[in-house]
């Protein structure tokens, strides 16, 4: 029996697609994504400028803080942690650390509370709101030295405004010395001047976040019978936490690095000297730049750590 060759080929399955004809396999060419260098070229000058302005001095400060750089005791030589050890045993530096801690506590607390309160008041539109915001920005826009000079007249023991008020109320003879005598009073009054400067920025930051809260949330809370305090506690505060965190961080940075107000109002007296003032005194009066670098590095590290703690505790991501 003869079997044809066609019977030896496998039968195609029923309903299967026909096999494509044999031939050379064609492969589509792979297109390489082009990298547009123009944006990087445009940003490069700014990045180089920032690197030269910020990163290079920062690296230089870190390196020099471990060297003895003293114009009165040359040459420059490696000192390890000697600068940090001498700072720790300096009564002036230790006293300024305590003063700065009080500046931070008073400044951050007052600026945050004032920022929240004023932002809630400015949250709803009213006649003259734009004028109030414009006036509110003025203290923030003024330099710290100018503010210190203005407040010097208010605290003046002879013809200052506060002494005049106390004298008219028969609470003082009109010659009370407010700055330089009592440490806590001096720090509190100086920090009030700084709060007068940084509080407007706190108000604007929190107000910007409050403007993003939908009004429907307050309407629903009012329908449910919530009081104004309940709506503030359950809606405003939770949704304003990102702005409050940013406000507290900028207040921490400002108060840890306070210099203008204490120096103008109280001079070099230890009763109100801040850590930043001690950095200036050590570097440019004692000419011990090594200790100045070390103290600057410590201020930067402490500022970063406190800011991270504030963000960790206060900041919450909000989806509106």
């Amino acid at each position: 029996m003869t079997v044809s060759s066609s019977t030896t080929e496998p039968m195609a399955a029923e309903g299967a697609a026909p096999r494509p004809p044999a031939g050379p396999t064609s492969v589509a060419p792979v297109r390489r994504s082009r990298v547009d260098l123009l944006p990087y070229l445009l940003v490069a000058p700014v990045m180089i400028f920032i690197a030269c302005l910020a990163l290079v001095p920062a690296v230089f400060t870190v390196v020099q803080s471990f060297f003895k750089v003293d114009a009165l005791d040359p040459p420059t030589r490696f000192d390890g942690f000697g600068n940090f050890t001498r700072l720790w045993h300096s009564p002036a530096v230790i006293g300024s650390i305590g003063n700065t801690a009080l500046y931070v506590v008073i400044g951050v607390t007052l600026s945050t509370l004032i920022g929240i309160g004023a932002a809630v008041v400015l949250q709803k539109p009213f006649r003259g709101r734009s004028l109030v915001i414009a006036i509110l920005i003025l203290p923030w826009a003024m330099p710290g030295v100018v503010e210190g000079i203005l407040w010097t007249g208010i605290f003046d023991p002879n013809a200052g405004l506060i002494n005049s008020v106390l004298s008219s109320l028969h609470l003082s003879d009109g010659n009370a010395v407010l700055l330089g005598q009592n440490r806590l009073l001096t720090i509190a009054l100086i920090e009030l001047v700084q709060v007068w400067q940084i509080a407007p920025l706190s108000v604007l930051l929190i107000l910007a976040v409050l403007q993003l809260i939908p009004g429907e949330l307050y309407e629903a809370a009012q329908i449910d019978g919530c009081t104004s305090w309940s709506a503030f506690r359950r809606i405003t505060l939770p949704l304003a936490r990102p702005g409050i965190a940013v406000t507290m961080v900028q207040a921490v940075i400002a108060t840890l690095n306070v210099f203008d107000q204490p120096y103008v109002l109280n001079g070099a007296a230890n009763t109100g000297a801040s850590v930043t003032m001690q950095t200036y005194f050590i570097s440019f009066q004692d000419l011990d730049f090594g200790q100045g670098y070390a103290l600057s590095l410590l201020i930067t590290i402490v500022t970063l750590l406190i800011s991270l703690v504030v963000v960790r505790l206060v900041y919450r991501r909000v989806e509106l």
Side-chain angles (χ1 to χ4, degrees):
M1 182 177 178
T2 303
V3 182
S4 61
S5 60
S6 60
T7 59
T8 59
E9 297 178 0
M11 301 296 294
E14 184 178 358
R19 182 179 301 174
T25 305
S26 60
V27 179
V30 179
R31 294 184 178 180
R32 296 183 178 180
S33 59
R34 296 179 57 187
V35 178
D36 191 1
L37 297 179
L38 181 59
Y40 299 96
L41 294 177
L42 294 176
V43 175
V46 178
M47 298 301 297
I48 295 175
F49 176 77
I50 293 176
C52 295
L53 186 65
L55 296 181
V56 173
V59 174
F60 184 80
T61 299
V62 173
V63 173
Q64 291 294 95
S65 63
F66 295 96
F67 285 80
K68 185 172 181 59
V69 187
D70 193 341
L72 302 179
D73 186 17
T76 298
R77 54 193 180 273
F78 182 74
D79 197 24
F81 291 95
N83 291 323
F84 300 93
T85 302
R86 286 188 290 272
L87 289 175
W88 183 252
H89 291 89
S90 173
V93 174
I94 298 301
S96 67
I97 292 175
N99 295 341
T100 306
L102 291 176
Y103 285 133
V104 172
V105 172
I106 298 173
V108 174
T109 302
L110 288 182
S111 63
T112 304
L113 293 178
I114 293 174
I116 295 174
V120 170
V121 174
L122 296 172
Q123 183 179 9
K124 295 182 179 181
F126 58 87
R127 181 176 297 179
R129 177 169 173 256
S130 301
L131 180 61
V132 173
I133 294 177
I135 296 175
L136 188 67
I137 298 176
L138 290 179
W140 173 53
M142 295 175 60
V145 175
V146 176
E147 293 182 348
I149 294 174
L150 290 177
W151 283 82
T152 299
I154 297 177
F155 295 144
D156 186 82
N158 298 318
L161 177 62
I162 294 181
N163 271 294
S164 299
V165 173
L166 293 177
S167 178
S168 62
L169 296 176
H170 303 287
L171 298 176
S172 173
D173 58 357
N175 295 315
V177 179
L178 301 175
L179 299 175
Q181 300 295 323
N182 183 276
R183 179 188 178 196
L184 293 178
L185 179 61
T186 300
I187 293 175
L189 293 178
I190 292 175
E191 188 53 36
L192 284 178
V193 179
Q194 191 186 31
V195 168
W196 185 63
Q197 180 186 29
I198 65 177
L201 180 59
S202 302
V203 176
L204 295 178
L205 291 174
I206 298 177
L207 179 61
V209 177
L210 295 185
Q211 296 298 310
L212 300 177
I213 301 177
E216 292 80 2
L217 296 178
Y218 294 103
E219 295 176 0
Q222 187 176 6
I223 294 174
D224 292 339
C226 290
T227 61
S228 299
W229 171 249
S230 298
F232 171 77
R233 187 166 54 90
R234 297 178 182 274
I235 298 177
T236 304
L237 277 183
L239 297 181
R241 290 182 70 166
I244 296 175
V246 176
T247 295
M248 295 181 67
V249 169
Q250 70 90 19
V252 167
I253 295 173
T255 52
L256 273 174
N257 295 274
V258 60
F259 179 89
D260 298 336
Q261 291 85 355
Y263 190 76
V264 174
L265 291 170
N266 199 43
N270 292 329
T271 52
S274 64
V275 179
T276 308
M277 290 176 59
Q278 288 300 323
T279 304
Y280 170 77
F281 295 150
I282 292 173
S283 300
F284 298 103
Q285 290 189 1
D286 300 339
L287 299 180
D288 192 344
F289 295 101
Q291 288 194 49
Y293 288 130
L295 189 54
S296 299
L297 179 60
L298 291 178
I299 295 174
T300 303
I301 294 174
V302 171
T303 303
L304 178 61
L305 292 177
I306 296 179
S307 300
L308 291 176
V309 170
V310 170
V311 172
R312 181 70 177 177
L313 296 178
V314 180
Y315 181 82
R316 292 294 182 274
R317 186 177 179 86
V318 176
E319 297 290 345
L320 295 176

